[in-house]
Amino acid sequence: SQTIHQWPATLVQPVGSPLSLECTVEGTSNPNLYWYRQAAGRGLQLLFYSVGIGQISSEVPQNLSASRPQDRQFILSSKKLLLSDSGFYLCAWSGFREGYGYTFGSGTRLTVV
Amino acid sequence: AQKVTQAQTEISVVEKEDVTLDCVYETRDTTYYLFWYKQPPSGELVFLIRRNSFDEQNEISGRYSWNFQKSTSSFNFTITASQVVDSAVYFCALSEGSDGGTSYGKLTFGQGTILTVHP
């Protein structure tokens, strides 16, 4: 069965420090991968998605970047964190065809201080 | 552009009451998929249901039921005899339809409805 792992679960980082969040998927090949952010409140904002190794699409210009060095690995990064980067980050995967829906990781709660 | 609207920001009910969460969507696609997710206090999003645009049959799963009406572009979710464990944020979402086979399955989420069930 497919599983998705996301870490760390919580993170407190000072402003200006770098960031690296990692997400890996097991039990499937060539998944579509996504990074979402949920700021204080409710909405889910799509940040990046990837349909293959090295293929990254950005939905919202920001202080973050994403990379996909391996088929089932998706990394969210920042060189210098801002206070506004605080939030709950969720990684997700889906099958290639539309309508499969997402399976989400357990999320990373990032607090920038 | 696709859009999902959950007009109810917060709903508060007493245990055993029935509650309906509204979801209205906008899309130009003829083929699309609708979803509901639950986000308990732990934060992880839990998949509840998927419905494609060609299947308007209502669905019931235990205390949960879903009413899909294309005529009004709505996909409402009802919890019967609510329980404290139902307290969570609920998200409705819409998936892009086929686009020459290049659809990437991106989901557009509504803003979510916070449901609080009091004992």
Side-chain angles (χ1 to χ4, degrees):
Chain A
S1 62
Q2 302 91 355
T3 56
I4 180 168
H5 303 280
Q6 186 181 343
W7 66 93
T10 59
L11 195 58
V12 179
Q13 293 283 95
V15 169
S17 64
L19 172 74
S20 180
L21 302 181
E22 189 163 343
C23 173
T24 59
V25 180
E26 295 178 357
T28 186
S29 298
N30 195 30
N32 293 342
L33 296 171
Y34 310 84
W35 278 110
Y36 274 83
R37 177 170 62 196
Q38 186 178 29
R42 300 128 50 220
L44 284 156
Q45 181 186 40
L46 178 62
L47 301 176
F48 301 95
Y49 68 94
S50 172
V51 300
I53 297 175
Q55 300 179 60
I56 308 294
S57 296
S58 174
E59 289 289 298
V60 181
Q62 61 223 319
N63 184 40
L64 302 168
S65 62
S67 62
R68 186 169 177 174
Q70 300 180 43
D71 181 44
R72 290 168 288 180
Q73 183 185 29
F74 204 25
I75 298 172
L76 183 70
S77 304
S78 173
K79 292 182 179 179
K80 289 185 178 181
L81 283 169
L82 306 172
L83 286 174
S84 58
D85 292 323
S86 293
F88 189 55
Y89 289 83
L90 285 158
C91 180
W93 78 272
S94 73
F96 173 76
R97 293 180 59 182
E98 70 276 11
Y100 277 22
Y102 290 1
T103 299
F104 285 87
S106 53
T108 297
R109 201 166 297 279
L110 171 66
T111 304
V112 183
V113 296
Chain B
Q2 312 211 14
K3 185 178 179 181
V4 177
T5 301
Q6 295 179 254
Q8 302 152 308
T9 304
E10 294 189 47
I11 300 176
S12 182
V13 299
V14 177
E15 210 168 19
K16 298 185 183 179
E17 284 185 27
D18 298 346
V19 58
T20 296
L21 309 181
D22 297 333
C23 174
V24 175
Y25 62 92
E26 296 175 26
T27 180
R28 294 181 181 177
D29 294 328
T30 56
T31 302
Y32 53 89
Y33 296 81
L34 295 163
F35 303 82
W36 276 95
Y37 285 87
K38 174 183 180 180
Q39 187 179 38
S42 62
E44 186 170 350
L45 278 152
V46 178
F47 167 81
L48 295 178
I49 190 173
R50 175 180 64 233
R51 174 65 80 227
N52 73 57
S53 54
F54 298 107
D55 182 3
E56 289 193 69
Q57 202 168 19
N58 292 330
E59 182 158 336
I60 298 174
S61 176
R63 296 184 296 107
Y64 295 170
S65 62
W66 290 270
N67 182 359
F68 175 31
Q69 292 192 341
K70 286 180 76 171
S71 60
T72 56
S73 297
S74 65
F75 187 44
N76 297 338
F77 172 32
T78 297
I79 302 175
T80 303
S82 61
Q83 300 176 2
V84 172
V85 293
D86 295 327
S87 298
V89 183
Y90 290 86
F91 290 96
C92 181
L94 170 68
S95 174
E96 294 180 343
S98 179
D99 175 22
T102 61
S103 171
Y104 302 131
K106 292 187 292 180
L107 285 180
T108 299
F109 283 87
Q111 285 299 299
T113 297
I114 301 172
L115 174 64
T116 303
V117 181
H118 299 281

